[in-house]
């Protein structure tokens, strides 16, 4: 038995922990690690992967004398570091071995202690590994490393953080000599690729792969909408279908002891948490995501462990193996988009050896139902997405060349050989290497001394500013003005576009009103209302080509019995498809349909997120060139919606699509990229990582055209193009899709607008508001508006009094002077009436008047039309929706504002004139 191979002291610790038998993966992995072989261990959550790796290492450490760091345990998250420290310290204390953690939050005193007295096992992150090479004493401690363990390796292998770590491991070989490498992962669809990443060039890595899908018991549920849901939708300002899903989730949470409820984005998590708390103030459901403060996250985790919370709405922040106590059920709200995410998330339920994972996917519409059923089927059969390691990311090469130069004079040939040993750079050419090196010299980050190079003083600043390869987005702290506590963070893009005093937004499942906007933080106060939902960057999860194709096959074959959908889900999906049958034909894995509407077209293509995005970008540019006018497009995994300048013959779209030959896809995409917003964003990121743009520079202030012209033809510009092709498009998948169309394997049919096409216009994957306000929502808004307390102000004598609209007489007059020019102001704007006391305002007052006039005239112009629509007269609902969504996220806020827009306009116009 595997445990019998371990030191008796370790066996005793296991007995003390009531662990007597190894799990299957432990039984296989422990002997391999004791033999000294490199190993990739793939097993589901809660099977004891950490112990499988660390027990044999502890065994060897007991026989390894001397001072220095002997084992580095790397995780992608600081929160995982905290958990690992707790788990491994228990073993370390019993075995008289020192275990410590080091990352960005580690205190200076602890760092100094580690420098003087290094631990036997150091738990850290990929970014902190970079810093370990810089200090002379730390490098000396690294020289004794014999083991490196990378936990959750799948989270790193496919991105630039992983490429940076891969090079760091080869640099570590130069300091410590060869060491044993162990990778741990719960979900890997390409074992050979990840094993290659772990080992680098020339090293054999053995693999142990347990049953990835565990014992998954997952059903797809789609609760029907009830009258109670419709009533509640008005109160919560949401769509009845979304509310019915919330009701089902609430029921499932109440039936179980501890439930994790996963959503795909932070804004959805906040929207749901806020609405749950408005629905029921006493509900024991919390929210957890990466933009909440560390203090709030830890507090929430502890509340959940102690069962003070029954449910926790979370994103991928709890997807990995963070210890949040015993979970007996997991919910995924709407499709998780990818098989690996479902396995990882459902694996959090029954997070112990031998326990079955129970969970449900609650879907809100037919597209979500079909996608969820397919992903659940693939998860049960262990069919995971292919994980690909990106080759030769030049931002990482630039970063690591400067990092190498931090240690003094570095030989160019040695640097090239070290970097080339890492798996992502195994095909790095000398010309590419020297091209990047020369660019760094020209920028001023490195000194070139013929056969060697070293960093400059600017290079040192660059290194510490760019230790992390995670894209930079400036963030603002959210500080509660009452407690001075930091609640979380907001991205700069949201703050600049939304934040102003008295604006309301949601975070931590509560609504906050902005009191003051400061240079790097927002002071806020909590209110009981529904505010706007913040947006955060980098959240969309792409649906893979394979998943979208099987959704198409499910539509075509309708073999519902092969999938884990409940009766309601199957009935809803079947109704949706039968309605499409009546409309004409169902788009599937074998059929693409082109639907023509008024100045628009919908291409129904089951090709997945990135392929559809690639096709849409190229097609819209080609159509625009052909028509001589602008063409817009937006996509989802199953359709491309094309916004046309005028009605056109569908044959024009078919012919244009036909010019996208499979062999010419990459050249077309590269051509399109030059005018794409994708390239602008990626170029700024790459320029920052090359040191051309300062880390804190606002990309909107960068003259992209001039900068791109200056660097066109350089490694920097080529890397921006290659990165955009990798991150935003799928050239390989698009080539495969075009080949199917060319060969006739996939056919194309033209038809009028159908239910599936309209679904692309109507479905919103958010939880914020329905596409159109129905009667229940309007009535709820009307009721709230009527009870809103307004500050009434006489424009003649400046008298002020409070009044609710529901109590207002038919004809308003001033009680003091009898005047009829009455302004209706919100309480926090009542002081604005003071501006009318002066005939000539000060410069500051004039500036405020201009702002008020501009806002009021804008609202006045569009508000008149929107109010007519909401009153049941005038323009059509589609135009009204566009008017509303163009200016406001919150319809309640919109309606309140237009109540006083006319009077605000009137009282400021004379100063403006």
């Amino acid at each position: 038995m595997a445990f019998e191979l371990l030191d008796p002291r370790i066996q005793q610790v296991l007995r003390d922990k009531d662990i007597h038998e190894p799990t299957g993966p432990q039984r296989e992995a422990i002997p391999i690690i004791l033999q000294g072989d490199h190993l990739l261990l793939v097993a589901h959550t809660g099977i004891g992967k950490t112990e499988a790796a660390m027990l044999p290492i502890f065994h060897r450490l007991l026989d390894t004398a001397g001072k220095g760091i002997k084992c580095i345990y790397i995780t992608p998250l600081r929160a995982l570091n905290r958990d690992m420290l707790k788990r491994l310290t228990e073993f370390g204390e019993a075995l008289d071995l020192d275990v410590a953690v080091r990352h960005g939050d580690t205190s200076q005193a602890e760092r100094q202690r580690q420098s003087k007295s290094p631990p036997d096992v150091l738990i850290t992150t990929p970014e902190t590994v970079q810093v370990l090479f810089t200090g002379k004493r730390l490098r000396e401690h690294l020289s004794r490393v014999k083991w490196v363990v990378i936990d959750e390796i799948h989270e790193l292998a496919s991105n630039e953080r992983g490429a940076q770590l891969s090079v760091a491991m080869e640099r570590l070989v130069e300091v410590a000599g060869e060491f044993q490498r162990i990778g741990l992962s719960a979900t890997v669809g390409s074992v050979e690729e990840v094993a290659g990443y772990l080992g680098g060039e020339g090293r054999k890595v053995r693999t142990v792969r347990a049953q990835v899908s565990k014992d998954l018991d997952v059903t797809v549920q789609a609760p029907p909408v009830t009258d109670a849901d419709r009533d509640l939708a008005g109160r919560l300002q949401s769509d009845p279908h979304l509310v019915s899903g919330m009701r089902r989730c609430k029921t499932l949470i109440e039936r179980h002891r501890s439930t994790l409820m996963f959503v795909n984005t932070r804004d959805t998590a906040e929207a749901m948490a806020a609405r749950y708390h408005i629905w029921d103030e006493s509900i024991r459901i919390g929210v957890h995501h990466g933009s909440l403060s560390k203090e709030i996250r830890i507090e929430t985790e502890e509340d959940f462990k102690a069962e003070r919370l029954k449910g926790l709405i979370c994103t991928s922040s709890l997807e990995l193996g963070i210890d949040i106590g015993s979970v007996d059920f997991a919910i995924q709200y709407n499709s998780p988009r990818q098989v690996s995410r479902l396995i990882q998330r459902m694996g959090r339920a029954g997070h112990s050896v031998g326990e079955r994972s129970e969970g449900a996917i609650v879907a809100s519409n037919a597209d979500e139902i079909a996608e969820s059923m397919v992903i659940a089927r693939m998860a049960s059969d262990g069919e995971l997405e292919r994980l690909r390691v990106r080759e030769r990311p030049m931002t990482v090469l630039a970063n690591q060349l400067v990092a190498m130069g931090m240690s003094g004079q570095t030989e160019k040939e040695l640097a090239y050989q070290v970097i080339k040993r890492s798996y992502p750079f195994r095909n790095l050419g000398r010309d590419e290497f020297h091209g990047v090196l020369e660019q760094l010299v020209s920028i001023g980050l490195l000194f070139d001394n013929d056969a060697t190079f070293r960093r400059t003083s600017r290079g040192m600043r660059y290194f510490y500013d760019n230790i992390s390869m995670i894209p930079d987005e400036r963030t603002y702290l959210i500080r509660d003005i009452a407690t001075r506590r930091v609640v979380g963070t907001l991205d700069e893009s949201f703050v600049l576009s939304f934040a102003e005093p008295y604006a309301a937004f949601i975070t931590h499942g509560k609504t906050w009103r902005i009191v003051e906007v400061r240079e790097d933080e927002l002071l806020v106060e909590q209110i009981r209302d529904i505010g706007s939902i913040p947006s955060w960057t980098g959240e969309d999860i792409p649906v893979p080509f394979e998943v979208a194709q099987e959704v198409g096959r499910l539509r075509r074959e309708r073999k519902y019995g092969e999938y884990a959908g409940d009766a309601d889900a199957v009935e809803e999906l079947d109704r949706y498809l039968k309605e499409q049958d009546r409309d004409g034909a169902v788009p599937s894995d074998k059929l693409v349909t082109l639907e023509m509407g008024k100045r628009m077209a919908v291409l129904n293509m089951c090709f997945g997120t990135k392929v559809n995005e690639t096709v849409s970008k190229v097609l819209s540019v080609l159509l625009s060139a052909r028509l001589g006018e602008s063409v817009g497009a937006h996509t989802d995994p199953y359709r491309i919606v094309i916004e046309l300048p005028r009605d056109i013959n569908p044959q024009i779209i078919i012919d244009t699509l036909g010019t996208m030959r499979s062999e010419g896809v990459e050249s077309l995409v590269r051509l399109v990229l030059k005018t794409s917003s994708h390239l602008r964003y990626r170029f700024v990121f790459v320029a920052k990582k090359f040191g051309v743009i300062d880390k804190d520079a606002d990309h909107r202030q960068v003259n992209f055209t001039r900068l791109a012209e200056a660097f066109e033809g350089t490694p920097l510009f080529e890397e921006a193009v290659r990165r955009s092709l990798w991150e935003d498009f799928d050239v390989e998948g698009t080539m495969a899709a075009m080949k199917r169309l060319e060969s006739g394997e996939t056919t194309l049919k033209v038809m009028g607008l159908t239910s599936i096409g309209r679904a692309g216009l109507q479905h919103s994957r958010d939880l914020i508001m329905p596409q159109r306000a129905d009667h229940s929502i309007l009535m709820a808004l009307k009721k709230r508006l009527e009870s809103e307390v307004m500050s009434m102000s006489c424009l003649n004598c400046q008298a002020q009094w409070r009044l609710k609209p529901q109590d207002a007489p038919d004809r308003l007059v001033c009680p003091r002077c009898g005047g009829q020019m009455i302004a209706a102001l919100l309480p926090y704007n009542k002081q604005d009436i003071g501006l009318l006391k002066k005939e000539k305002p000060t410069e500051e007052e004039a500036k405020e008047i201009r702002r008020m006039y501009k806002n009021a005239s804008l609202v006045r112009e569009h508000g008149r039309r929107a109010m007519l629509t909401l009153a049941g007269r005038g323009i059509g609902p589609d135009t009204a929706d566009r008017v509303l969504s163009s200016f406001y996220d919150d319809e309640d806020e919109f309606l309140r504002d237009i109540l006083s827009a006319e009077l605000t306009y009137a009282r400021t116009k004379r100063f403006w004139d």
Side-chain angles (χ1 to χ4, degrees):
M1 191 176 78
F3 287 169
E4 293 174 354
L5 301 173
L6 302 172
D7 188 284
R9 287 168 286 182
I10 296 176
Q11 295 183 43
Q12 183 59 50
V13 176
L14 291 170
R15 285 192 292 271
D16 293 343
K17 288 177 165 287
D18 201 26
I19 301 173
H20 302 284
E21 294 287 332
T23 62
Q26 290 171 348
R27 192 177 295 111
E28 289 187 66
I30 288 173
I32 294 173
I33 296 173
L34 287 173
Q35 291 169 19
D37 294 340
H38 305 299
L39 175 70
L40 173 64
L41 172 57
V42 181
H44 56 74
T45 304
I47 205 69
K49 293 190 299 293
T50 300
E51 287 75 14
M54 291 306 298
L55 291 179
I57 292 175
F58 282 136
H59 174 87
R60 294 295 184 202
L61 279 172
L62 290 172
D63 297 328
T64 306
K67 186 179 179 181
I69 301 168
K70 304 175 186 71
C71 173
I72 301 178
Y73 192 104
I74 300 169
T75 80
L77 298 175
R78 295 177 187 180
L80 273 175
N81 284 354
R82 293 196 303 269
D83 286 347
M84 287 303 130
L85 182 64
K86 292 176 186 175
R87 291 171 66 178
L88 298 184
T89 297
E90 292 177 8
F91 282 98
E93 289 175 348
L95 301 171
D96 197 25
L97 294 170
D98 188 13
V99 179
V101 67
R102 186 181 182 118
H103 49 60
D105 293 336
T106 304
S107 67
Q108 189 61 36
E110 174 62 14
R111 294 183 191 195
Q112 290 174 353
R113 187 192 73 79
Q114 293 173 7
S115 183
K116 294 175 182 176
S117 179
D120 298 294
V121 178
L122 182 66
I123 304 166
T124 189
T125 59
E127 289 72 29
T128 303
V129 170
Q130 297 293 318
V131 181
L132 297 179
F133 290 105
T134 57
K136 184 177 179 181
R137 187 178 287 177
L138 283 173
R139 284 175 65 87
E140 185 180 329
H141 296 327
L142 288 178
S143 67
R144 296 185 61 82
V145 169
K146 299 298 179 188
W147 299 273
V148 171
V149 181
I150 306 177
D151 202 353
E152 307 289 359
I153 192 171
H154 62 285
E155 284 290 314
L156 297 168
S158 61
N159 58 40
E160 289 172 334
R161 291 181 77 200
Q164 184 191 46
L165 178 60
S166 182
V167 175
M169 286 197 290
E170 299 305 329
R171 292 170 61 199
L172 183 58
V173 171
E174 297 301 305
V175 176
E178 288 291 345
F179 50 83
Q180 190 175 5
R181 304 174 183 216
I182 300 160
L184 308 177
S185 176
T187 49
V188 173
S190 312
V191 173
E192 296 77 14
E193 181 91 338
V194 179
Y197 164 81
L198 175 64
E201 281 293 274
R203 300 181 189 91
K204 181 181 178 181
V205 177
R206 297 178 65 177
T207 58
V208 170
R209 188 174 190 180
Q211 180 189 353
V212 175
S213 58
K214 198 179 180 182
D215 289 323
L216 284 177
D217 182 7
V218 180
T219 59
V220 179
Q221 304 180 18
V225 176
T226 64
D227 289 339
D229 294 329
R230 294 186 183 93
D231 292 341
L232 187 58
R235 181 178 158 204
L236 299 184
Q237 299 179 37
S238 195
D239 183 90
H241 285 90
L242 301 176
V243 170
S244 70
M246 287 179 62
R247 188 184 295 278
R248 176 61 57 86
C249 293
K250 183 172 181 281
T251 300
L252 291 170
I253 290 170
E254 288 169 348
R255 283 180 188 169
H256 295 88
R257 189 186 72 256
S258 294
T259 301
L260 285 180
M261 179 176 167
F262 286 99
V263 296
N264 292 333
T265 62
R266 284 171 278 186
D267 50 0
T268 304
E270 289 291 3
M272 295 196 81
R275 280 158 174 78
Y276 272 129
H277 286 112
I278 287 175
W279 181 359
D280 180 359
E281 288 186 10
S282 63
I283 200 164
R284 293 194 294 152
I285 296 177
V287 63
H288 188 290
H289 60 72
S291 288
L292 294 173
S293 67
K294 175 187 171 185
E295 181 184 5
I296 293 283
R297 290 199 307 271
I298 293 175
E299 180 183 294
T300 303
E301 291 164 18
E302 294 301 322
D303 284 346
F304 188 72
K305 283 183 196 177
E307 299 186 12
R308 289 187 288 272
L309 292 174
K310 277 185 69 70
L312 200 53
I313 303 172
C314 53
T315 60
S316 54
S317 61
L318 289 181
E319 194 175 287
L320 304 182
I322 298 170
D323 178 21
I324 35 81
S326 177
V327 178
D328 63 339
F329 199 76
I331 299 171
Q332 168 66 47
Y333 182 77
N334 277 333
S335 162
R337 313 292 180 233
Q338 297 172 354
V339 181
S340 57
R341 288 187 180 272
L342 180 65
I343 292 174
Q344 195 86 333
R345 292 173 177 185
M346 293 297 120
R348 298 314 307 272
H351 190 142
S352 295
V353 177
E355 289 189 12
R356 184 178 179 81
S357 290
E358 289 190 53
I361 305 175
V362 177
S364 62
N365 61 58
D367 278 350
E368 296 284 358
I369 293 168
E371 189 174 289
S372 300
M373 287 166 64
V374 165
I375 289 175
R377 200 277 311 157
M378 295 175 82
S380 296
D381 293 344
E383 298 176 19
L384 282 81
E385 299 86 9
R386 181 165 61 104
L387 185 148
R388 296 165 59 207
V389 176
R390 186 186 166 202
E391 287 198 29
R392 310 188 322 281
M394 294 302 162
T395 48
V396 176
L397 177 58
N399 176 274
Q400 288 301 281
L401 285 173
V402 177
M404 288 176 159
M406 289 289 291
S407 302
Q409 293 288 353
T410 305
E411 294 180 16
K412 292 180 182 177
E413 181 60 24
L414 177 62
Y416 174 67
Q417 294 299 337
V418 168
I419 292 171
K420 200 172 186 302
R421 285 202 308 261
S422 68
Y423 188 77
F425 291 99
R426 64 194 183 281
N427 296 318
L428 177 68
R430 287 185 184 275
D431 290 345
E432 290 176 307
F433 174 83
H434 287 291
V436 171
L437 188 62
E438 288 167 10
Q439 182 136 39
L440 295 174
V441 171
S442 69
I443 293 168
L445 301 182
L446 294 176
F447 284 124
D448 186 348
N449 298 318
D450 294 329
T452 63
F453 64 88
R454 64 182 177 87
R455 57 90 179 160
T456 62
S457 57
R458 184 183 173 193
M460 183 169 70
R461 291 195 301 274
Y462 161 88
F463 172 77
Y464 287 110
D465 280 346
N466 292 276
I467 289 172
S468 172
M469 296 306 299
I470 300 171
D472 298 312
E473 169 81 6
R474 185 184 173 193
T475 58
Y476 285 73
L477 297 177
I478 307 166
R479 190 180 298 278
D480 185 350
I481 197 169
T483 63
R484 311 305 296 179
R485 185 186 192 190
V486 174
V487 179
T489 61
L490 290 175
D491 284 353
E492 179 183 41
S493 55
F494 178 77
V495 172
L496 293 179
S497 62
F498 172 82
E500 60 181 34
Y502 310 111
F505 66 93
I506 294 173
T507 196
H508 194 212
K510 301 168 185 172
T511 301
W512 307 85
R513 178 185 289 146
I514 297 172
V515 176
E516 183 181 347
V517 180
R518 294 186 171 179
E519 185 177 348
D520 56 358
E521 67 179 14
L522 306 179
L523 296 184
V524 299
E525 61 183 356
Q526 191 175 334
I527 59 173
R528 178 162 172 73
D529 208 340
I530 292 182
S532 297
I533 309 298
S535 58
W536 287 279
T537 57
E539 290 208 286
D540 292 337
I541 302 170
V543 174
F545 179 81
E546 295 78 13
V547 169
Q549 281 285 283
E550 185 164 336
V551 168
R553 181 160 64 85
L554 173 59
R555 288 177 175 181
R556 177 170 54 86
E557 297 179 346
R558 305 185 194 180
K559 295 180 179 178
Y560 304 126
E562 298 177 1
Y563 299 89
D566 70 3
D568 289 330
V570 170
E571 182 181 346
E572 175 63 19
L573 178 58
D574 193 55
R575 183 201 60 76
Y576 178 69
L577 296 177
K578 284 178 177 175
E579 183 180 347
Q580 182 67 18
D581 287 334
R582 291 191 291 272
D583 286 341
V586 178
S588 68
D589 57 329
K590 301 288 187 182
L591 177 66
V592 170
T593 62
L594 172 60
E595 303 181 9
M596 301 302 297
K598 187 72 174 174
R599 292 173 57 186
M600 64 169 296
V602 181
L603 263 172
N604 294 299
M605 311 170 79
C606 296
F607 292 152
T609 304
K610 286 191 175 182
V611 172
N612 281 4
E613 180 70 13
T614 307
V615 173
S616 77
K617 284 290 183 287
V618 175
L619 186 60
S620 59
V621 169
L622 294 177
L623 276 174
S624 181
R626 191 163 187 165
L627 299 174
E629 296 181 72
S630 296
V631 173
H634 60 272
T635 68
D636 66 33
Y638 307 103
R639 52 186 72 78
I640 300 170
V641 179
I642 305 168
E643 299 168 0
L644 298 165
R646 60 181 185 275
D647 291 338
I648 65 172
N649 190 313
Q651 193 59 44
I652 293 175
I653 296 176
I654 295 171
D655 292 343
T656 305
L657 187 63
T659 63
M660 287 182 60
R661 308 296 297 178
S662 55
E663 63 273 11
V665 166
E666 182 169 354
S667 59
L668 277 172
V669 175
R670 281 178 170 267
L671 190 66
V672 167
L673 261 179
K674 291 192 175 180
T675 58
S676 167
S677 59
H678 290 296
L679 183 60
R680 182 185 300 269
Y681 177 75
R682 302 299 177 192
F683 182 86
V684 170
F685 168 80
V686 171
K688 285 182 178 181
K689 293 305 175 187
F690 265 79
V692 171
I693 301 175
D694 288 341
K695 178 185 177 182
D696 296 326
D698 183 350
H699 68 272
R700 288 162 303 175
Q701 304 301 319
V702 175
N703 189 322
F704 169 76
T705 304
R706 290 182 60 185
L707 201 60
E709 287 174 356
F711 285 94
E712 192 163 2
T714 66
L716 188 159
F717 190 87
E718 176 60 20
E719 168 63 9
V721 172
R722 290 177 62 239
R723 192 170 195 271
S724 191
L725 290 175
W726 177 267
E727 298 281 352
D728 306 315
F729 301 96
D730 182 356
V731 172
E732 188 180 314
T734 305
M735 290 171 64
M738 292 301 104
K739 278 182 181 176
R740 293 187 183 193
L741 284 168
E742 291 163 12
S743 68
E745 182 183 348
T746 300
T747 57
L748 191 149
K749 182 176 180 178
V750 180
M751 53 208 305
L753 206 57
T754 71
S755 56
I756 279 185
R758 282 191 292 270
L761 308 175
Q762 297 167 0
H763 285 171
S764 171
R765 297 199 177 200
D766 299 327
L767 187 74
I768 319 309
M769 287 291 292
Q771 285 289 317
R772 186 170 298 120
D774 64 12
H775 180 74
S776 61
I777 290 178
L778 288 176
M779 290 305 99
L781 288 173
K782 180 175 180 288
K783 184 177 179 182
R784 291 184 62 194
L785 287 171
E786 286 177 341
S787 60
E788 185 85 36
V789 176
M790 306 296 292
S791 288
M792 311 308 293
S793 301
C794 177
L795 302 187
N796 182 44
C797 68
Q798 284 83 53
Q800 289 188 309
W801 67 99
R802 293 159 65 86
L803 183 70
K804 292 182 180 179
Q806 64 192 23
D807 301 327
D810 292 336
R811 184 167 172 268
L812 278 173
V813 295
C814 174
R816 180 191 293 175
C817 70
Q820 298 179 31
M821 290 288 288
I822 311 297
L825 303 175
L826 289 171
Y828 54 78
N829 279 337
K830 66 180 183 180
Q831 72 276 7
D832 291 345
I833 196 71
L835 294 172
L836 296 176
K837 293 179 180 178
K838 298 180 182 179
E839 282 301 315
K840 184 175 178 59
T842 65
E843 186 176 340
E844 279 299 311
E845 290 170 340
K847 184 178 178 182
E848 175 66 9
I849 288 170
R850 282 193 293 270
R851 183 189 70 78
M852 291 168 60
Y853 172 83
K854 186 177 179 182
N855 289 345
S857 57
L858 188 71
V859 175
R860 180 175 177 263
E861 176 188 350
H862 295 282
R864 282 174 164 175
R865 289 186 288 157
M867 282 296 282
L868 287 174
T869 302
L870 294 173
R873 314 181 256 116
I875 60 175
D878 290 339
T879 305
D881 281 348
R882 283 199 296 274
V883 171
L884 288 169
S885 61
S886 296
F887 297 97
Y888 287 85
D889 292 325
D890 185 323
E891 193 166 348
D892 191 11
E893 177 192 355
F894 177 86
L895 293 173
R896 280 203 310 267
D897 278 8
I898 58 181
L899 288 175
S900 60
E902 291 283 351
L903 289 168
T904 306
Y905 176 80
R907 69 190 174 90
T908 56
K909 188 175 186 300
R910 67 189 180 98
F911 288 111
W912 177 265
D913 293 342

